[in-house]
Amino acid sequence: MTSTLPVGEAYPYLRAASTGIRHHTHSLASRAQHTTSSADRVHLDVLHTHLTTLHQLLNQLAEAARPPHPAAGLHLATAHTRLWQAAAAVHDAFHLLPVADETSAETECHPERLPEGPPVLTICQRHLAAGHVIRRKTTPSDLNTPLHGHTTPCSQ
């Protein structure tokens, strides 16, 4: 399937997501200059959402590229695995951060108001779904090895 759109217009949702990530990064940087607060669970949940969505996109791109271009498909599959490792690290960090003070009515979690359940379950459900995909396509040793042996003409 060939796109007839100019390259800049071919993936509007991906461009919008990239813009959102840049905005979030700049917002965090300016906030860090004015306060001493560190990362919180909300930021890690949003980041995990981005990582798992990008994980799905890389999976689709790797599958599409593999038959006609095996080497490119291999590189995309490797990126897919590394992105899973990043999502797993963010998920682990999420659970290591302290839970926000839930004594006030504004910050209290009301699972009945959220159709997908409380946020702590949402990140875990998302992570389990992404984990199911990656485990069907890779071995445990692939998931635990660092990036190795991949070169491109621009890195040689």
Side-chain angles (χ1 to χ4, degrees):
M1 181 175 175
T2 305
S3 174
T4 59
L5 295 172
V7 173
E9 298 175 17
Y11 304 101
Y13 298 114
L14 189 56
R15 284 192 351 259
S18 297
T19 302
I21 290 171
R22 279 192 301 273
H23 172 74
H24 193 69
T25 302
H26 293 305
S27 172
L28 278 175
S30 66
R31 186 176 135 205
Q33 292 174 354
H34 301 301
T35 64
T36 58
S37 69
S38 61
D40 60 15
R41 291 178 134 213
V42 173
H43 289 112
L44 293 183
D45 186 32
V46 170
L47 180 59
H48 190 267
T49 301
H50 286 295
L51 288 171
T52 53
T53 304
L54 189 55
H55 182 260
Q56 291 171 353
L57 176 61
L58 272 172
N59 182 41
Q60 292 170 356
L61 289 172
E63 290 297 317
R66 191 169 287 133
H69 308 286
L74 178 62
H75 281 284
L76 290 172
T78 300
H80 179 251
T81 301
R82 300 306 170 239
L83 197 57
W84 163 254
Q85 291 171 332
V90 169
H91 177 257
D92 293 345
F94 175 89
H95 286 293
L96 292 175
L97 288 176
V99 177
D101 181 24
E102 295 183 6
T103 57
S104 74
E106 293 176 7
T107 60
E108 191 172 333
C109 181
H110 294 282
E112 68 279 3
R113 295 184 194 166
L114 300 170
E116 66 276 3
V120 69
L121 294 180
T122 304
I123 191 172
C124 292
Q125 290 169 346
R126 184 182 331 112
H127 193 69
L128 287 172
H132 180 71
V133 171
I134 193 74
R135 284 185 178 87
R136 283 186 298 145
K137 297 178 180 265
T138 59
T139 65
S141 63
D142 287 339
L143 294 176
N144 294 319
T145 57
L147 185 61
H148 62 281
H150 293 285
T151 59
T152 61
C154 55
S155 67
Q156 292 178 345

